[in-house]
Amino acid sequence: MSEQKITEEDVRHVAKLSRLRLNDDEIHHFTEQLEAVLGYISKLNELDVEGVEPMAHAMDMSNVLREDIEVDGISTKDALKNAPASDDAYFEVPKVLGEGSGA
Amino acid sequence: MDITKTTLSEVREAVTGKEVSAVEMTQAYLDRIAKYDGKINAYRETYDERALERAKLVDEGKIEGPLAGVPIAIKDLMCTEYGKTCCSSKMLAKFEAFYNSTAVKRLEDAGAIVLGKTNMDEFAMGSSTETCAFGATKNPWDTDYVPGGSSGGAAAAMAADFCAGSLGSDTGGSIRQPASLCGVTGLKPTYGRVSRWGLVAFASSLDQIGPFGHSVKDCATLLKYMGGHDELDSTSANIAIPEDLDDVDTKPKKLRIGIAKQYMSDEANDPAVASALVKAIEIYKAAGAEIVEVDLPHTEYGIPVYYIVATAEASSNLARYDGVHYGHRTQTPDDLVDLYARSRAEGFGDEVKRRIMLGTYALSSGYYDAYYNRSLKVRRLISNDFKTAFESCDAILCPTTTGPAFKLGEKKDDPLSMYLNDIYTVTANLAGIPGISMPAGTAEVDGKQMPIGMQLLGPAFEETSLLRIARIYEAATDYNLERPKM
C-alpha cells in the first residue's frame, strides 16, 4: 500500500469504474476527502501480515443447497412492481444502443 | 397508563393483563408520534391504519403470541410487504418491497405491531443520521445534537417513547453508537444470529439486525423472537436461540470482566466516560467479578480495516442500483453507460458516492492486494485478539463512544472525523462477536447533560451470558430509566 497522492485523474477513473457521473466540483471535493481517508488507511502499512490467512467472513462459510424441487419464483407482476417503466410483461428501457453509444 | 415510563416488558404485561387494550396502547404511541415527531424526525413513515387494525385483532384474540399488542418500530432498511422501503435514499424513494424481512415477519408472527419505519443514514452509511435524503433525525435529549447513526431514527424513537421496542442494523456500530448517544440499550447480536433476509445489504459480511429497548430484558425478548436459523439466508447460523435467553436476572455462570488498555485512553475518552467505566468496574467487583486485564493490540487498526472491507462490499452490493429494473432512473440518457452513471449520480447522496468510490478504488487493479487483501489479513489478527482475550474473560467492558453526542452538521463535511466515531464498535463487526451498549449516565456538553453509554462485548453466540452480565450493571444503576424532556 503506497502513500501516493490521490489525484483528480485517479478520482475521475474511479468514478467511471463506479458508474457515477460527477461534475468538476464534486471530483475536486472527493479528491480531497478520499486522500484524507486513504492516508489514514495507510496506517495498515505498519503491520507485518506475512503469512496471515485473509479473513473475508466472520463465520465459516459453506455452500447451501436446497432440494432440487420445483418452487414458485417471483411473479411477473411482482418483478415489474418497482420498474421505472414497464410494458405488459417487460421492463421498458430507453433506446440506448446506436451510433455513439457508450455501451 | 403512561407509556413514557414503560418498558416493552411492561407493555406486554399491561396488554396481556387487559389493563389496557392493544388499540389503546397503539393509539397512545401514534398520538405521541403525531405530537412530537415533527421536531425529532425519527420516523420516515407510520402505518397508523394497519397498526390499529392489527391491534383490534389482538383485542379480539385473533392475533396471539408472546408479543401480542407490543408496538415496535423498524429501520427503513428492512423490507416489508406494506409501505415503502427507501433506505433513506432518493434512489429507492418509491420502492415497495413485496415480501417481509424474516426478522420483521417473526416479530409480527409473535404478535408485535409495526408502527412504522424509522429514519437512518442513507443505505446505513453514516454515524449521525444526517446523510438521509429526507432530512436528519434529531437527538430527543437536545434537538441541536445528532442521535448517532446509522440507526439514529430507531434509537431516537426509543428514547422519545415513540415505540416499545425498535429494530436497527449494525455494520460498524450502527446500533450501539446511537443507543449510547440517545440513552437507550442496543444489542448487536453475533453475526448470523438474526437472518439478514430482507435486510437491504450494505456490507454483507458485517451487517447484523439487532434490537433497541429500554432494558436489557427488552433487547433479549426481541432477539429471542426474531433470531434463529433461517433457510432463506445462507449466512444464518444453524444454531438455535437458547430458550432461557430472556432470563436475564439469572446470575451468569462465570463472571470474569476483561479490561483492555486499548479502550481506556484518558486522552481519547471524555472524563465522564472514563469515570463511568471506573464505576462499572466497581459494580462488577461488588457483584463478585474477577477483573482481568486483556490485550487487544490491533484495536487501532479496526477503522482502516473496516472502511476498506465495508466499502469494498458496498461497492459490489450497490452496483445493482443502475436505474434499469427498479430505483431512480435518469431522464433522457444519451446511452447505456450514461443511463447507469446519471441514474446513480442523481440517486445517491455524497456519503454513498464516497464509499462506493473508496471501495471501488480498494478493489481496482493494482490496489486489491495492497488494500483489500491486507485488510482481510488484519481482520484475522483482530478476530484472533478477541479469541485470545475470551480465553481469560467472559465479557470485555469498554466505552461505546469516546463521548456524548456532537452537534448536527459538526462533522458532516469531515468524513475521517465522522468515521473515527466508530473506533470502539467496528472491531466487534469485523470479528462477528456480539456487543451491547447500555446507558451509563451523562456528560456535560455546553452546559447540558447528554447521555453516554457503556459497552460489553462477548464471545460469539454467547448472548445469554452477555445479557446476564449486562443486567448486573443495569440493575445496579437504573440509568436506563431516565428519559429526555419532550
Side-chain angles (χ1 to χ4, degrees), chain B residues 68-204:
Chain B
V70 173
I72 60 168
I74 55 177
K75 188 177 182 178
D76 187 24
L77 198 65
M78 292 168 215
C79 290
T80 50
E81 58 189 6
Y82 46 89
K84 292 194 178 76
T85 303
C86 304
C87 305
S88 286
S89 178
K90 188 179 166 188
M91 179 61 83
L92 290 177
K94 296 175 185 171
F95 183 75
E96 293 178 359
F98 49 85
Y99 58 92
N100 286 319
S101 55
T102 296
V104 175
K105 181 181 182 304
R106 286 182 177 175
L107 292 181
E108 288 203 310
D109 287 348
I113 294 171
V114 174
L115 296 175
K117 295 261 180 78
T118 55
N119 202 14
M120 54 182 277
D121 279 305
E122 185 180 5
F123 283 104
M125 298 182 189
S127 304
S128 64
T129 312
E130 292 176 288
T131 69
C132 342
F134 316 113
T137 296
K138 320 283 174 57
N139 192 313
W141 290 82
D142 187 322
T143 53
D144 289 337
Y145 291 81
V146 302
S150 66
S151 309
M158 204 64 243
D161 285 302
F162 292 160
C163 55
S166 64
L167 299 192
S169 67
D170 192 314
T171 306
S174 285
I175 289 174
R176 291 160 289 154
Q177 188 250 20
S180 174
L181 304 192
C182 287
V184 299
T185 305
L187 171 67
K188 183 203 93 73
T190 307
Y191 182 88
R193 183 61 107 174
V194 179
S195 168
R196 293 185 301 111
W197 170 258
L199 177 75
V200 177
F202 159 18
S204 306

Side-chain angles (χ1 to χ4, degrees), chain A:
Chain A
M1 190 187 309
S2 64
E3 291 182 42
Q4 69 189 69
K5 187 173 169 58
I6 306 300
T7 66
E8 293 195 1
E9 261 330 286
D10 293 329
V11 176
R12 277 183 213 285
H13 177 61
V14 171
K16 187 179 174 188
L17 293 175
S18 305
R19 297 280 192 254
L20 289 166
R21 180 66 44 93
L22 303 180
N23 62 36
D24 289 346
D25 285 347
E26 288 174 312
I27 293 288
H28 180 69
H29 191 55
F30 284 131
T31 301
E32 287 181 350
Q33 292 183 335
L34 288 178
E35 174 143 336
V37 173
L38 286 165
Y40 182 70
I41 285 170
S42 67
K43 187 178 178 59
L44 295 176
N45 281 329
E46 296 168 6
L47 291 171
D48 178 6
V49 292
E50 188 67 34
V52 178
E53 185 71 15
M55 178 180 166
H57 215 274
M59 287 174 58
D60 293 330
M61 298 293 294
S62 59
N63 284 332
V64 178
L65 304 175
R66 67 166 171 82
E67 291 295 308
D68 186 15
I69 50 172
E70 188 180 346
V71 292
D72 288 335
I74 298 169
S75 70
T76 304
K77 185 182 168 196
D78 283 339
L80 292 173
K81 184 179 176 186
N82 289 285
S86 62
D87 179 17
D88 195 14
Y90 299 98
F91 288 95
E92 199 170 41
V93 292
K95 185 179 177 185
V96 291
L97 297 174
E99 198 176 336
S101 167

Side-chain angles (χ1 to χ4, degrees), chain B residues 341-357:
Chain B
R342 278 174 47 198
S343 295
R344 288 163 63 78
E346 291 167 13
F348 291 137
D350 279 358
E351 183 58 35
V352 175
K353 289 176 189 168
R354 192 157 38 237
R355 295 198 193 196
I356 288 174
M357 287 196 290

